Every structure is written in structure tokens, then in C-alpha cells.
Amino acid sequence: MQDMILLKLGEIVLKGLNKKYFEQKLISNVKRRLKPLGSFKVYCFQSTIYVEPQEEVDMDAALEAMTQVFGVVNVVRAAACEKDVAAIAEKAIEYMGEAMRQARSFKVETRRADKSFPLSSIQISQYVGGALSDAFPDTAVDVHEPELTVHVEIRDFAAYVHSRPLPGAGGMPVGSNGSAVTLLSGGIDSPVSTYMIAKRGVRMIPVHFFSFPYTSELAKEKVIDLAKTLTRYCGRMTLNIVPFTHIQEEIRDKCPEEYFTLIMRRFMMRIAQRIADYNGARALVTGENLGQVASQTMEAMTCTEAVCTSVVLRPLIGFDKEEIVRAARKIGTFETSTLPYEDCCTVFTPRHPRTRPKLAEVEEAESALDIEALVEEAFTHTELMKLDL
């Protein structure tokens, strides 16, 4: 039997009658993620997804890909063999040979999911441990603090031998909890907030506001690169690139300077809401973080949210910057986010922005604008870019 991957499910196992729905979503996401890597047989049984290569494939790449699929809590690269204790011991010697030679100590842990197997978990561990000790006499047995743990699982289809499981991405399968529009700038925060809501099973529709010539093509490419990185976790996405120059120039020419950023944010939320309605999305997602900048006070966020009809999700609201940076490094967006290309939020920044605005004052400040026409113009001319791995 062959080298394969076992995916252990997380909170999906707690689902009731709709558990199958979540499993099928996850299987679909696993197949999509594996498609560029070769041919695999993927199936689910007893809260474990089995990934069997059907041809010569890069198993290291497949293993890494599986750690980035939401809905999986542990990822195991394992060798399968027949359910016979002598065969299991032989497979353990073969499959774990290199790791055994490098380790100074080891133990064997067995999980007997198939209760019809004639030996107990302790008996299997003792037998396999004895065979490994005989084969690798320089590696000591240490059942308390071993350098290496050899895992044996007795399941319905076969027995499996593997080393330490890798942590999965956790969460819920993307697409199992609806869709949301996420405002994606070129900064550190918004890619992390996108990742966090996708982790809850939400299909993401990223929206970027582009203000050429005040922001460059390099700034646009930076956001495209960020969105492509996020597809590892979020799956296929359609990036909406919204032309925002005319709106910002109208705000600059017709509104009081202290309200520039607030009015700009309100336009962003209006357009995001328009895109959400068009796509049937149920929520908007932002990377806002309470008190981080002038437009992220409670009063300011109340003013910007007032133009929305959908719920606004702010997963970073209570994070400090170091926590956000750690998350960005973890998901691979930090280096791109810190490239020195401006985004539209830096255009026409007021010298003294209002930090404690009243909604009536903001509405009065933007009353000189033809709001509906500007929103419709931006929506109509939005560029769509389909992204995948």
C-alpha cells in the first residue's frame, strides 16, 4: 500500500444532520487545491478525509497545500498497509527508518478506531515498539519524553503508520457559510481580516479602490499579488477593482477638508454594499482596528457604517498591531503588504481630520455631491479579475 494523506476534521464533526453538507464542501475544496498537483482519489469516512495519489506526485507540495485548507484541524502523511500486526511492524520499520535513525529516543502510540481488531492499542504499541527497537538498537525507548513518536492507526480500510501530525488551518470549509465582500487595500490589516472571515467558511469577494494616477499601477499589482496569495486559503476569488479617482476629486473640490477621509470611507462602503447586493453577499468585511487611525474611532465607524444595509464584520477590531503583523507573517502577506506603494487612502489626506464626528454633520458635508450618480459610475466601470492558484 502507498504513501497518502489523512485529513482530520475539526468542528465539522460536531454538526448534526447537515454534517454531510460541510463534508462535501470540504472535499470539493480539497480537490480544487490538489488539482494543479496531479491526480488524487479523495473521499471521507468517519470524520477523516483520505487523499490517495493516483500517480507519481509531489507529496511534499500536496502536504503543504492541505495545511492551508479551512476545515482541517490536523494533516497527516501516512503509509497504509494491511491490518495485520506483523505487516504494521514491517511498514513502521520501512516508513519511519530515517526518522528512527535520527532520533535518540522513541515511543509508539496506537489508536484503534476499528474495535474488531484482535489486539488492544497497548498490545499493538508493544509489538510495533519491540520490532522498531530490534531494528534500530541505537534509538532508546522512552515512553515519557521521546524525541520521536511513531503513530499507528487501525481504521476500517487499512492500518496507517505516521509521525507527528501537522496542524491544519482549522475553521470551516470555504463556501459553507455564504459570501461576503471584503475591502482589500494594500496594507497589512485587510488581508488578515479577509483570511479570518474566510476561515469561518465564508466565500470572499475582494474589492479594491484604485485612484490612478494618484496611485500607481505598481500599487494595483501589489493588491493583485495579495489577493493571489489569499487564494491559497480562500479559494477562487473575483477581485473587483473600483475606479475611485473621480469620487476623490469630487470630495476634494466640494467638501470640507476635515471630512475628506470620512466621506471617502462612506463612498467605499456604499460601493461595497452595491457589489454585495449584486453578488448576493450577506456581509461586508473591513480591516478596521479600534483607535488605530482617525477614521477608526467609534464615532467615525458609526458614520461610515450608517450607509450600509448589510452587517459589517470587523475581525481585527480588538487586535493590537503586533498581533496583526504576526498573523500577516503566518499567512504570507506581510512582505507584499509592506512594499512602498501607496493606496487611495493616502490621497488628499486632511491635515486635521475629525475624530469624533456626528452623523448629521457628515451627511451635511457630503450633501454637495451627487452620491447616487458617483456610486453608479464607479460600480459600472469596476474591473473584474478572476484569481486562482
Side-chain angles (χ1 to χ4, degrees), residues 70 191-201 315-316 319 327 331:
F70 290 133
V192 176
S193 62
T194 301
Y195 166 91
M196 291 180 68
I197 297 300
K199 186 174 182 177
R200 299 310 306 155
L316 307 184
F319 280 43
I331 66 176

Side-chain angles (χ1 to χ4, degrees), residues 253-282:
D253 294 342
K254 298 179 180 178
C255 300
E257 181 184 353
E258 61 185 328
Y259 293 109
F260 280 2
T261 302
L262 282 169
I263 295 172
M264 177 193 72
R265 292 286 301 172
R266 280 165 63 85
F267 269 96
M268 288 179 173
M269 299 301 273
R270 288 185 179 102
I271 295 166
Q273 183 66 67
R274 180 80 167 80
I275 292 170
D277 293 342
Y278 181 80
N279 287 278
R282 301 295 186 184

Side-chain angles (χ1 to χ4, degrees), residues 88-89 92 96 100 105-111 121-133 140-143 146 148-153 160-162:
I88 295 168
M96 301 299 299
M100 286 291 295
S105 61
F106 83 101
K107 73 172 181 177
V108 177
E109 285 188 357
T110 300
R111 181 172 180 268
S121 295
I122 292 175
Q123 289 172 323
I124 298 166
S125 293
Q126 289 173 338
Y127 186 96
V128 175
L132 286 168
S133 185
V141 175
D142 184 346
V143 297
L148 172 68
T149 299
V150 176
H151 295 267
V152 175
E153 297 189 38
Y160 302 90
V161 177
H162 61 85

Side-chain angles (χ1 to χ4, degrees), residues 7 27 30-31 34 40-44 49-52:
L7 307 177
I27 289 172
V30 167
K31 288 180 176 178
L34 290 170
F40 295 83
K41 181 181 179 182
V42 181
Y43 56 95
C44 184
I49 290 180
Y50 296 78
V51 178
E52 297 181 4

